[in-house]
Every structure is written in C-alpha cells, then in structure tokens.
Amino acid sequence: TFKAVILVGGPSRATRFRPLSLDVPKPLFPVAGAPVVSHHLRALSKVDGLKEVLIIGFFEDNVFSRFVDDAATEFPNLHIRYLREYQELGTAGGLYHFRDEILRGNPQQFFVIHVDIASAFPLNEMVEAHMKHRGLCTMLGTKVPREQATKYGCLVAKPSTNEVLHYVEKPDSFISDLISCGVFLFDTAVFGEMKKAIDRKKDSTEENDYLWTPSDDKLRLEQDLLRPLSEQHKLYVHVTENFWRQIKTAGSSIPANAAYLELIKKESPEKLAQSKPEGPEIIGAVYIHPSAHVDPTAKIGPNVSIGPRVTVGKGVRIKDSIILDNVQLGTASCVLHSVIGWNSKIGKWTRVEGSPASDHNIDMMKNGVKSQSITILGKEVLVADEVIVRNCIVLPHKELKSSFHSEILM
Ligand code: GTP
C-alpha cells in the first residue's frame, strides 16, 4: 500500500507570489476552479492502494482546516490530514519528524510532492517504474529548454536504466536539461538514509562548531538526501513528457491554470463551461463557478477560470485569465492575460491586459529590467471606466482612475 505527503511550506515563503498571497496562502490559491493543492489530491485519489495523504507545512493549523474538511467530501476515498511543523524543518526535515505518522499502517512506499508545481502527475507510471528497479526512490523528471535548466535541480541519468548518476540543485553552469519535477516515490526504508543524513550533518556541525547556525537544523530533500542516494545507486528517474510547470510567481498561475483546464477538458469535460446557442460564447477550456453570473453577450476563453459570485457584464471579453471571487466586470470591458483579485471592480469599456507568456518564460526583460508580463490586480482594486491597465501589478485596495503601463502600483 501507499501513502502520500504534500509539502506546503509556510507563510514566509510565498513572497514571490505577492500580491496574491497576501490574501490566500499559495497552496489554496484557485487555478482551474480549485485550490492548487487539490489538483495534487485529485491525482493521488487515482492511485490504487493509496488511502492517506498528509499535508505537511508550517502554516497555522486553522489555515488548512476548512480546506481539509471540503477535500474529505470531494475525495471520499482519501483520509487527509494537515500536520504542522513546530518550525521550518526543510523539505526532508518534516518527513523525518512525522515518520511515525507516515509509517503507521505499514505502507511500503510513499509519495512526496511539492505543492508549488502544476503537473499531469503520472503517479501510476511512477509506481510501475519504481517496481522495475532496486532503488529507494523514483523521482519524476522532465526536460526543459537548455537556457532555463540551471534554475532547477538538474540530473544526469543513465539512459538504459534511468539510474540517476548525478544530481545537482541549481548548478552554476549547465549540466543537463533533465530536471527534477518535485514529485518522488520513496520506499519506507529511506528513513534509515535520512537518519544517516542527520548524523552526517551533526558530525559536520560539531567539527565546525563556530559555524553553527539555526538553519543547520533543516534537512533538505535534494542536497542532504537525494545526492547521497544517487551516490549509492539508489535513485532513479521517470521522465515524463506530459505537462509540468512551477507555480512560483503570481504570474505563473496563468500558465498553470491553462494547463489544468486543458487536462480537465480531456478527463472530465462536463466540469467545464459549454457554449450554448443563446450565449455566452465559450472558446476552448473555460471554468465558470455555478454562482457566477455571465451575460449571454460575453465572449470567454480559452483558458479562463471564473470564481464564485463574479458578475460579467454585457459584451465583455475575457481570455487567458483568472477572475477571483465576487469580481464585477463592467459592460464591454476586456481582460486578457491577467489575474483579477477578490472583490475588484472593472469599469465599463476598460481594458486590463498582460502579454501572452511563452511556455517557461513568464517574466520578460524590458531595457534590461524585469517587467511583468501578466497583469495582476490584488484584492479589492477599483479600475475606472475607459482606462487601460497593461503589464502592471496592482496592490490590494488601490483605485485606478487613469491608464497605467508596466508599473507596480503600491
Ligand atoms: P526555490 O523556491 O526556488 O528554492 O525552489 P524549490 O523548488 O527548490 O523550493 P523549495 O525546495 O524551497 O520548496 C519545495 C516545496 O517544499 C515547496 O512546495 C515548499 O512549499 C515546500 N517546503 C519548502 N521548505 C519547507 C519546509 O521547511 N517544510 C515544509 N513542510 N515544506 C517546505
């Protein structure tokens, strides 16, 4: 049997996800009509013999309590719990700390999944691959464009066996275009290796006592555990060609939204909006919450998610965007490549737009300065009639009375 752990981190980490993370922790931010972490749960619910999922992080307990209740209803075959680290323990520290919880019921293997990714999660393929070798871990890998590779954990694998020969977290120079996706399947025997990794750390801090810092408490999955595993020939990779993306910056929620909508369109199209003769016109994959009101003259899609209680006025055009709860879009307004925050109001004939992002490149450079390619409005932003807001980040509670271009509005 299997178990699973989803690593969700804590409140201090989502700085790159601002301004959206000011109002909701990143794991609960909705993409394709559901919180980021529920896409992980949906994939886990399709693994035979997997009954329990532990969500481990250092957010306060109450942050996840409602989500966990809702998820129990949505995924009745999974027992889901949130376990809180007393402090930031690192990506392997929490696993070790809660090892008794993971080992309870004697599972043979357990998945570990980072929350800050969007993926088709080919978990059953990973199980199959894992059974074919004698390693302790199968990690999911994917190829990225060469110039992007050094931003990730890079690995070199033996093509004939998929054994991982080298693993380097964010290397200084190019070593491979095969990277770690943040999805792992471990044998429970790996806890023995974690214990060794902790002892190694202790020994090295005792030798360098004067170098001791509190962060040495943390046990890191990549550097402290996976590297030694690869040196012992116990680490394997399963390479996927299916979609995978990081959700790091607020802007990266748009490509993740698009990819999940496409996936839902294939797997359960009935969950998505359908074009009707009387309107509104729906193009491609679009999610509309049942409580939203969309005028029949609106034209929506592809890759749009519309949240609860949103009002979409006459003649509105929306494309490649996430519209959060209770937003009002005025008559003939246009929203492209943008995230519109909770309770925001967009005036009549107003345009809010970003630029289409290429696959892995969500921030673009302008005159050597990083500029936002996706427009993001924080919570409760008011945008006047007949203005244009292009490639901007707007912090919560702002009122925009004129047009803005490539600015961060605080
Ligand atoms: P960078 O953020 O660019 O360093 O990339 P990364 O993908 O290596 O991120 P990191 O290893 O910090 O985080 C991977 C996943 O683990 C994310 O989903 C985090 O939320 C989560 N995470 C990171 N640190 C901790 C931790 O101390 N405890 C727990 N429970 N989760 C963590």
Side-chain angles (χ1 to χ4, degrees):
T1 60
F2 300 97
K3 280 208 191 180
V5 171
I6 305 175
L7 294 172
V8 293
S12 59
R13 295 196 60 89
T15 48
R16 280 172 293 177
F17 205 65
R18 284 182 189 157
L20 301 173
S21 58
L22 295 172
D23 294 293
V24 67
K26 186 165 75 169
L28 298 182
F29 184 80
V31 292
V36 167
V37 61
S38 62
H39 297 282
H40 297 53
L41 293 175
R42 190 179 61 226
L44 288 166
S45 74
K46 292 178 186 157
V47 177
D48 274 342
L50 194 152
K51 301 220 160 43
E52 187 171 44
V53 182
L54 305 172
I55 298 174
I56 299 184
F58 49 97
F59 289 98
E60 306 261 341
D61 288 308
N62 62 6
V63 170
F64 283 92
S65 48
R66 227 190 90 194
F67 171 76
V68 167
D69 288 348
D70 293 350
T73 320
E74 191 177 351
F75 306 103
N77 62 335
L78 295 179
H79 182 221
I80 303 161
R81 281 192 297 155
Y82 176 68
L83 301 177
R84 185 182 176 192
E85 290 168 22
Y86 58 98
Q87 64 176 66
E88 186 172 355
L89 294 175
T91 39
L95 298 177
Y96 192 70
H97 182 73
F98 289 113
R99 62 192 178 282
D100 291 347
E101 298 289 344
I102 297 170
L103 293 171
R104 180 170 302 155
N106 288 325
Q108 275 101 46
Q109 279 98 21
F110 63 101
F111 285 98
V112 173
I113 311 184
H114 291 177
V115 84
D116 54 1
I117 54 165
S119 168
F121 295 116
L123 304 180
N124 286 313
E125 288 175 21
M126 287 179 72
V127 170
E128 215 172 285
H130 192 77
M131 300 310 167
K132 288 187 188 143
H133 63 70
R134 302 178 59 96
L136 286 180
C137 175
T138 302
M139 60 197 297
L140 189 65
T142 192
K143 296 215 168 182
V144 296
R146 200 188 152 94
E147 63 281 5
Q148 304 272 331
T150 54
K151 294 201 293 188
Y152 303 97
C154 293
L155 42 118
V156 178
K158 202 169 169 177
S160 53
T161 61
N162 290 323
E163 184 193 321
V164 176
L165 304 172
H166 301 290
Y167 181 86
V168 188
E169 181 68 16
K170 302 192 180 103
D172 293 330
S173 56
F174 180 83
I175 61 161
S176 166
D177 61 354
L178 184 60
I179 63 142
S180 167
C181 293
V183 184
F184 311 90
L185 180 58
F186 287 104
D187 279 8
T188 44
V190 79
F191 285 112
E193 299 302 319
M194 279 193 211
K195 177 79 175 64
K196 287 185 207 159
I198 290 168
D199 292 343
R200 270 195 303 271
K201 278 201 106 146
K202 271 199 199 130
D203 290 347
S204 67
T205 44
E206 269 158 29
E207 280 163 25
N208 307 303
D209 232 357
Y210 58 97
L211 286 177
W212 191 86
T213 55
S215 67
D216 288 336
D217 271 2
K218 288 199 221 163
L219 191 66
R220 299 162 305 174
L221 192 64
E222 281 83 0
Q223 295 92 324
D224 300 330
L225 188 65
L226 295 182
R227 273 189 89 147
L229 279 185
S230 83
E231 282 155 16
Q232 297 166 45
H233 310 284
K234 287 178 180 162
L235 180 62
Y236 289 78
V237 62
H238 173 70
V239 181
T240 182
E241 279 169 17
N242 222 319
F243 89 85
W244 177 85
R245 300 193 149 73
Q246 271 192 313
I247 306 182
K248 289 282 181 197
T249 60
S252 58
S253 62
I254 293 291
N257 182 58
Y260 275 136
L261 286 170
E262 288 302 328
L263 186 72
I264 297 170
K265 197 170 175 214
K266 273 190 225 127
E267 287 182 354
S268 29
E270 71 286 353
K271 289 188 179 155
L272 298 184
Q274 318 291 334
S275 236
K276 294 191 204 97
E278 67 275 19
E281 185 179 346
I282 303 290
I283 304 160
V286 172
Y287 170 81
I288 301 178
H289 191 274
S291 65
H293 176 78
V294 180
D295 191 274
T297 57
K299 182 168 169 183
I300 301 174
N303 305 328
V304 173
S305 294
I306 295 182
R309 301 179 309 282
V310 167
T311 327
V312 177
K314 283 195 173 55
V316 166
R317 175 76 177 107
I318 316 172
K319 190 176 145 179
D320 281 308
S321 295
I322 299 176
I323 315 292
L324 295 166
D325 310 23
N326 209 30
V327 163
Q328 295 178 33
L329 302 179
T331 301
S333 59
C334 177
V335 177
L336 309 173
H337 314 290
S338 299
V339 180
I340 310 294
W342 305 266
N343 306 336
S344 291
K345 265 190 191 170
I346 309 298
K348 295 178 188 141
W349 297 95
T350 284
R351 281 179 83 89
V352 177
E353 62 177 38
S355 313
S358 67
D359 229 21
H360 282 268
N361 181 23
I362 25 210
D363 297 313
M364 47 177 201
M365 301 293 280
K366 216 183 83 192
N367 305 329
V369 181
K370 222 180 198 181
S371 81
Q372 183 71 18
S373 57
I374 282 166
T375 287
I376 296 162
L377 308 192
K379 187 180 185 178
E380 282 165 27
V381 169
L382 304 180
V383 187
D385 294 346
E386 297 178 37
V387 305
I388 304 178
V389 180
R390 186 177 293 147
N391 297 349
C392 288
I393 299 181
V394 186
L395 266 65
H397 313 293
K398 287 286 299 177
E399 192 172 349
L400 308 185
K401 293 182 176 153
S402 57
S403 296
F404 292 92
H405 183 210
S406 301
E407 279 189 63
I408 296 178
L409 301 161
M410 322 233 252

